[in-house]
Amino acid sequence: MADIIKLLPDHVANQIAAGEVVQRPASVVKELLENAIDAGADSIKLIIKDGGKNLIQVIDDGIGMSPTDARMGFERHATSKIQKAEDLFRLNTKGFRGEALASIAAIAHVEVQTKPEQDEMATHLRIEGSEIKFQEVCVAPKGTSMSVKNLFFNIPARRNFLKSNQVELRHITDEFHRVAMAHPNIAFNFYNNGSELFNLPKANQRQRIVHIFGSKTNEKLVPVNEETQVVKISGFINKPEFAKRSRGEQFFFVNNRFIKSPYLHHAVLAAFEGLIKSDSYPGYFLYLDVDPASIDINIHPTKTEVKFDDEHTLYAILRSTIKHSLGQFNVVPALDFDQDQNLETPYNYRDKNAVQPNVSVDRAFNPFQEVANSTKPAGTKSYKKQNTEGWENLYVGLESKVGQDEGFSSVKFESESNTGSFFESHQESLESIATTFQLRRKYIVTTIKSGMVVIDQSRAHQRVLYEQFLKNITVNEAVSQQLLFPLQLSFSKSDIDILKEIKDSLTSIGFIFSHINGEEVRITGVPPLVSESEVGMVLDQLISDFQMQVTEDSFSQTDILAKTLAKTLSVKTGEVLNNTSQLALVNDLFACKESRWSPFNKPVYVTITENDIDKKFI
């Protein structure tokens, strides 16, 4: 039998590896930014065009590379981060596999200009599909400039699976946020299609978070700080009143590396138990410093999953630390009955000196002094208290006098009040046809000819609202309720971009925006179904859904918008509905085009026939 196992060529192996390392343009951005940080850069610039499909450029002022290192860096498993296997257990760098540059060069056109500080000339290198086209000497400043053009040019299927420019830019922005928050001591600039999106100077952790998510974020943050033998925890959590119904501002950093950990996320939720609703999520920016030998980050190509040696201890420390911070800064009400909380000095005023208040007193004031009439200003009337005895006589014979007066000859007075029969006939007709009742504040039971129907009230209302919003958006016949005072809300820059993207769809259902700029949104009109207090919650949920889901065309945007509004504004389980509301919901449900399924493809009602009931008694 002939030998059939053969060693793959390097360019084929690189393309296979690229499928794991490079999933979309955001993956390239992450790898290049981390390489710039490992190079010791103090300032990093990120330039994007067309959602990263045509250009991703990262410019840093790091140590640079020699001509030999510039070529060696694009070989598989070539790295300067580790030398032996033991180095994997004391990693202090972002990269260590030596696969990123080789994978990127296998599926794109890469151009590099790099120069160490001690060299006089820089190296210019161009690679296309793992092939080095040319290498020459050029003039460039200290550091490295790496450009990745025409991503997936030799894999058309992968390029066709990329989403729209807006969606890819959103993923790139998320990666940029994660890297920038992990390294506040480095200045970052982010440019998209020639316009500057972020200009982040060197700052501390709190300032970096505020620069990214907006100035209004500063008032939400509660500092967290704890140091033990196992872990050092620092960072910030959001106050409970700013918890959102969607996952958003939730970041874990371990040794300045962004990670995703459902286990640690549960520890944060446990610390907020009783302070936020069960369907809300708190925001947090937590930095954990642990011994590099106690974690394993080499379990996933994206390096966002980390395995800890002692997760249970870390869980307990994290939960108690957050609880301590919430209590320390008076976010959690204390149950100490022997101590008056109003007499405690707040943290913000403990280091301030007391200031003696200034009190002005009019020592010549006499409350018992009578003012003579001669001293009164001109035009002031003098009122004299009159005797009020016998005031009842004023109303004796009033009816006869009014009836005899010419001016009031046509006026009639009611002798007795008549209330209660105003809506009697209509109420009786409703009660006579009301054949519904609410079961456990969750289901509506109504009768039909063949038996009865059990309806999930929340899903039924979702279906009704979903079709109503779809009709308003497509037909553009929205009704808006004008606000007496404009409503001002604050969002981050990335959230503002999403609102601008879906502004037309929001306007078609009744939202009226008078101002969307910077970090603020001013709303002057809302749909009739949305109360003023729910506007912020609705927009937060919309932004989260648009971040999580793909919006390729206007139809998908409209569908996500209608689903989100229907889910947010629908009647929830546990709400009590009177007979009139129950009957109206049933009628509206069966007037829908598709009444059997909710917008999320879940059954809305079940039918129980008379035969089904009879079988239970056999």
Side-chain angles (χ1 to χ4, degrees):
M1 181 178 177
D3 298 333
I4 59 175
I5 298 178
K6 297 181 180 180
L7 187 65
L8 289 175
D10 289 340
H11 68 280
V12 177
N14 289 337
Q15 288 190 9
I16 295 174
E20 296 180 354
V21 178
V22 182
Q23 301 174 356
R24 58 190 337 145
S27 304
V28 178
V29 171
K30 174 179 179 295
E31 299 293 343
L32 296 185
L33 289 178
E34 290 181 349
N35 283 343
I37 293 171
D38 288 339
D42 290 329
S43 176
I44 300 175
K45 293 182 180 180
L46 173 62
I47 302 173
I48 299 296
K49 287 187 179 179
D50 300 327
K53 299 175 184 177
N54 293 333
L55 175 64
I56 300 172
Q57 184 176 7
V58 174
I59 304 173
D60 66 76
D61 58 353
I63 60 175
M65 293 181 288
S66 65
T68 304
D69 287 344
R71 295 192 60 158
M72 185 63 68
F74 290 93
E75 298 293 332
R76 288 195 68 200
H77 307 304
T79 179
S80 62
K81 315 299 175 59
I82 62 175
Q83 302 294 332
K84 51 186 180 297
E86 289 75 13
D87 294 340
L88 292 173
F89 302 102
R90 47 176 180 268
L91 288 172
N92 293 313
T93 57
K94 300 295 183 181
F96 55 89
R97 290 198 183 98
E99 292 180 340
L101 291 182
S103 300
I104 294 171
I107 55 173
H109 298 165
V110 181
E111 190 170 345
V112 182
Q113 290 184 0
T114 181
K115 173 184 173 297
E117 185 176 9
Q118 64 274 12
D119 291 355
E120 295 183 356
M121 303 298 292
T123 302
H124 187 192
L125 190 67
R126 181 177 297 173
I127 303 175
E128 297 179 2
S130 298
E131 292 186 16
I132 298 178
K133 295 300 181 179
F134 75 93
Q135 178 179 350
E136 62 182 9
V137 177
C138 67
V139 177
K142 169 202 169 185
T144 302
S145 172
M146 190 166 296
S147 303
V148 178
K149 304 177 182 178
N150 303 324
L151 193 65
F152 298 120
F153 78 99
N154 51 357
I155 310 178
R158 290 292 299 273
R159 189 174 180 88
N160 292 335
F161 273 104
L162 294 179
K163 308 304 179 185
S164 62
N165 292 343
Q166 293 81 3
V167 175
E168 297 299 338
L169 177 63
R170 204 171 299 150
H171 287 285
I172 292 173
T173 305
D174 290 341
E175 291 292 347
F176 176 80
H177 287 172
R178 296 166 182 173
V179 175
M181 280 191 292
H183 300 275
N185 58 332
I186 301 176
F188 288 89
N189 295 87
F190 185 8
Y191 301 90
N192 176 51
N193 293 333
S195 62
E196 185 181 64
L197 295 184
F198 290 94
N199 184 359
L200 306 178
K202 293 182 180 180
N204 55 35
Q205 290 178 352
R206 189 182 193 115
Q207 292 171 341
R208 178 55 57 88
I209 294 171
V210 172
H211 287 157
I212 292 177
F213 294 99
S215 57
K216 296 294 182 180
T217 309
N218 191 31
E219 63 186 26
K220 305 178 184 178
L221 301 178
V222 176
V224 176
N225 194 0
E226 186 68 38
E227 186 171 358
T228 65
Q229 295 179 352
V230 178
V231 61
K232 179 182 177 183
I233 302 176
S234 61
F236 303 90
I237 54 176
N238 283 350
K239 297 178 181 178
E241 58 265 29
F242 296 104
K244 298 181 180 180
R245 298 183 61 184
S246 58
R247 298 176 183 268
E249 301 170 355
Q250 297 162 346
F251 298 90
F252 275 118
F253 300 94
V254 175
N255 296 347
N256 291 332
R257 184 191 303 274
F258 173 78
I259 67 164
K260 296 179 181 179
S261 177
Y263 189 69
L264 296 182
H265 174 72
H266 189 272
V268 178
L269 294 181
F272 277 89
E273 185 178 2
L275 299 177
I276 60 176
K277 297 180 180 179
S278 58
D279 57 348
S280 300
Y281 299 94
Y284 52 82
F285 311 87
L286 297 175
Y287 300 80
L288 282 67
D289 290 334
V290 299
D291 184 5
S294 65
I295 60 174
D296 184 9
I297 60 177
N298 192 22
I299 61 176
H300 195 275
T302 60
K303 297 188 284 288
T304 56
E305 298 181 11
V306 177
K307 185 65 177 176
F308 297 94
D309 283 350
D310 192 356
E311 288 185 337
H312 298 287
T313 303
L314 194 61
Y315 181 99
I317 294 174
L318 181 60
R319 182 180 61 179
S320 61
T321 300
I322 295 176
K323 280 189 174 183
H324 177 68
S325 295
L326 292 173
Q328 185 181 21
F329 291 91
N330 293 332
V331 178
V332 179
L335 294 178
D336 188 358
F337 298 102
D338 298 331
Q339 188 175 5
D340 189 356
Q341 294 293 323
N342 297 324
L343 300 180
E344 289 189 356
T345 304
Y347 271 75
N348 296 336
Y349 292 90
R350 289 197 171 185
D351 298 332
K352 294 184 179 180
N353 297 325
V355 179
Q356 184 176 2
N358 296 325
V359 180
S360 60
V361 180
D362 184 5
R363 300 185 180 279
F365 175 72
N366 185 1
F368 303 101
Q369 182 179 1
E370 295 184 0
V371 182
N373 293 335
S374 59
T375 61
K376 290 184 179 181
T380 304
K381 293 183 180 180
S382 178
Y383 294 95
K384 181 180 179 182
K385 185 177 181 180
Q386 298 181 359
N387 188 11
T388 58
E389 294 182 359
W391 60 271
E392 303 91 348
N393 299 330
L394 294 174
Y395 299 95
V396 175
L398 179 63
E399 294 182 1
S400 60
K401 291 180 181 180
V402 173
Q404 295 172 0
D405 199 334
E406 288 183 357
F408 296 93
S409 59
S410 61
V411 178
K412 296 182 180 180
F413 293 88
E414 293 181 353
S415 58
E416 60 182 44
S417 60
N418 186 8
T419 61
S421 63
F422 199 72
F423 296 103
E424 260 181 17
S425 60
H426 183 60
Q427 186 69 22
E428 290 177 357
S429 62
L430 278 177
E431 291 177 355
S432 62
I433 62 174
T435 58
T436 63
F437 71 92
Q438 193 176 23
L439 178 64
R440 296 190 177 275
R441 299 183 181 181
K442 184 176 182 180
Y443 302 104
I444 297 175
V445 182
T446 183
T447 58
I448 56 176
K449 291 182 179 180
S450 60
M452 63 180 181
V453 178
V454 182
I455 304 171
D456 188 308
Q457 65 182 28
S458 180
R459 295 179 185 179
H461 201 204
Q462 287 178 12
R463 167 53 64 178
V464 173
L465 293 178
Y466 173 69
E467 293 197 2
Q468 182 177 347
F469 284 126
L470 274 184
K471 180 179 178 182
N472 291 341
I473 295 174
T474 54
V475 182
N476 292 326
E477 293 181 356
V479 179
S480 180
Q481 179 180 357
Q482 298 297 312
L483 299 177
L484 183 60
F485 300 101
L487 184 63
Q488 291 188 353
L489 301 174
S490 299
F491 296 94
S492 63
K493 293 181 180 180
S494 57
D495 293 346
I496 290 292
D497 293 337
I498 296 177
L499 287 178
K500 289 180 179 179
E501 184 180 343
I502 61 176
K503 177 184 177 182
D504 294 338
S505 299
L506 290 173
T507 304
S508 63
I509 62 174
F511 283 98
I512 299 178
F513 299 90
S514 63
H515 176 77
I516 299 181
N517 195 8
E519 300 175 359
E520 291 189 352
V521 174
R522 185 178 300 169
I523 301 174
T524 57
V526 296
L529 296 175
V530 182
S531 63
E532 185 176 351
S533 60
E534 294 177 331
V535 173
M537 177 184 64
V538 170
L539 293 182
D540 285 338
Q541 186 67 41
L542 276 173
I543 292 171
S544 175
D545 289 347
F546 272 88
Q547 287 176 339
M548 298 298 295
Q549 302 186 39
V550 178
T551 55
E552 283 296 320
D553 48 25
S554 59
F555 175 77
S556 59
Q557 284 190 8
T558 302
D559 185 65
I560 294 175
L561 181 63
K563 285 182 178 179
T564 301
L565 290 174
K567 178 178 63 176
T568 306
L569 302 176
S570 62
V571 174
K572 302 299 185 293
T573 299
E575 294 188 24
V576 180
L577 302 179
N578 55 30
N579 289 336
T580 306
S581 301
Q582 296 172 21
L583 195 61
L585 181 57
V586 172
N587 293 335
D588 291 342
L589 173 64
F590 289 103
C592 294
K593 294 182 179 179
E594 177 55 70
S595 59
R596 189 170 182 82
W597 303 96
S598 73
F600 304 95
N601 295 324
K602 295 181 179 179
V604 176
Y605 63 88
V606 293
T607 304
I608 303 176
T609 63
E610 186 177 355
N611 293 332
D612 296 334
I613 300 176
D614 292 338
K615 292 178 181 178
K616 300 295 182 181
F617 291 92
I618 297 177

